[in-house]
């Protein structure tokens, strides 16, 4: 039921998933994390837009499972905290699990922005600031900047000309016209 378990996730990689590439997705208006990785190995998450007002946007997951490294490459994404928060303090990441082994994470060329302009809390449960995250070697080439969406509060995540995500980080805009819920009869819905 609502309020129990992990809630709703936009994109979820569970244990056993490996060598998965997640790219060119728009995930927003969900009641859980936009991206959640739970012990999946060798994942690449690139060129996505993750926007949320429900707590945290991303859960990078475990670094090791049964002595097997669970590397994660998280590059050229836009993480956007909307103005309204439904779960108190919002942050970009949930927790880092094992900060001593961050060398298995590659976070770079990402654009982070918090629309309410409050204090930027990078990791919710670790109370990690942006500065502390960067001093750990993460996101050395990333920026905190408004990506210049047309109207994010109303679901329009089209990037305006001059977006720093495009110009400084190489984010590649993708077709957003089919983003959103679809019914099974729609031509845009595919099922196994």
């Amino acid at each position: 039921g609502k309020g129990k378990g992990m809630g709703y996730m936009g994109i979820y990689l569970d244990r056993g998933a490996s060598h998965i590439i997640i790219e060119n997705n728009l995930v927003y208006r969900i009641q859980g994390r936009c991206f959640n990785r739970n012990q999946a190995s060798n994942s690449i998450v690139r060129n996505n837009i993750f926007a949320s007002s429900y707590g945290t946007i991303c859960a990078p997951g475990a670094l090791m499972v049964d002595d097997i490294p669970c590397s994660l490459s998280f590059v050229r994404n836009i993480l956007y905290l909307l103005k309204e928060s439904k779960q108190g303090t919002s942050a970009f990441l949930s927790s880092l699990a094992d900060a001593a082994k961050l060398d298995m994470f590659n976070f770079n060329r990402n654009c982070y922005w918090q629309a309410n302009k409050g204090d930027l809390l990078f990791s919710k449960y670790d109370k990690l600031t942006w500065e502390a995250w960067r001093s750990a070697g993460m996101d050395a080439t990333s920026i905190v900047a408004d990506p210049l969406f047309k109207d994010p509060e109303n679901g329009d995540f089209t990037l305006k000309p001059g977006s720093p995500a495009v110009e400084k980080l190489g984010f590649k805009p993708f077709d957003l016209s089919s983003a959103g819920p679809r019914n099974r009869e729609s031509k845009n819905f595919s099922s196994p």
Side-chain angles (χ1 to χ4, degrees):
K2 192 173 179 181
K4 295 183 180 180
M6 293 297 291
Y8 305 102
M9 305 293 169
I11 297 173
Y12 180 77
L13 299 180
D14 208 350
R15 186 178 185 150
S18 67
H19 298 88
I20 305 286
I21 297 174
I22 310 241
E23 66 183 343
N24 298 337
N25 294 283
L26 167 61
V27 181
Y28 72 105
R29 285 193 186 147
I30 59 169
Q31 293 183 357
R33 296 179 185 120
C34 292
F35 173 73
N36 196 93
R37 187 183 75 119
N38 177 35
Q39 302 177 350
S41 62
N42 303 317
S43 312
I44 297 172
V45 181
R46 64 182 176 216
N47 214 79
N48 298 285
I49 298 171
F50 299 127
S52 180
S53 59
Y54 292 93
T56 59
I57 292 181
C58 172
L63 297 162
M64 298 287 286
V65 176
D66 300 328
D67 296 326
I68 298 170
C70 293
S71 67
L72 171 64
S73 178
F74 196 91
V75 296
R76 218 174 55 237
N77 298 290
I78 300 174
L79 286 80
Y80 190 90
L81 286 169
L82 295 160
K83 288 181 182 175
E84 183 182 356
S85 178
K86 302 289 187 189
Q87 295 180 349
T89 303
S90 292
F92 294 106
L93 302 180
S94 58
S95 179
L96 300 175
D98 189 355
K101 296 179 180 170
L102 283 176
D103 60 330
M104 285 185 280
F105 282 174
N106 174 28
F107 276 72
N108 268 309
R109 295 187 358 245
N110 297 301
C111 180
Y112 299 93
W113 187 246
Q114 182 170 309
N116 67 9
K117 297 185 174 66
D119 290 334
L120 184 65
L121 183 62
F122 202 74
S123 176
K124 185 172 185 173
Y125 300 109
D126 305 315
K127 305 292 186 228
L128 192 66
T129 64
W130 171 247
E131 293 78 18
W133 174 246
R134 301 246 347 236
S135 69
M138 297 293 108
D139 275 311
T141 59
S142 296
I143 58 174
V144 174
D146 186 343
L148 301 179
F149 292 127
K150 282 192 177 174
D151 189 5
E153 295 299 323
N154 291 304
D156 187 349
F157 293 92
T158 306
L159 291 164
K160 296 178 189 174
S163 168
V166 174
E167 293 187 357
K168 294 182 179 178
L169 304 174
F171 184 88
K172 297 175 184 160
F174 52 92
D175 181 15
L176 302 175
S177 64
S178 63
R182 300 181 264 311
N183 63 40
R184 289 189 177 273
E185 288 76 35
S186 170
K187 293 178 186 176
N188 294 326
F189 182 85
S190 61
S191 60

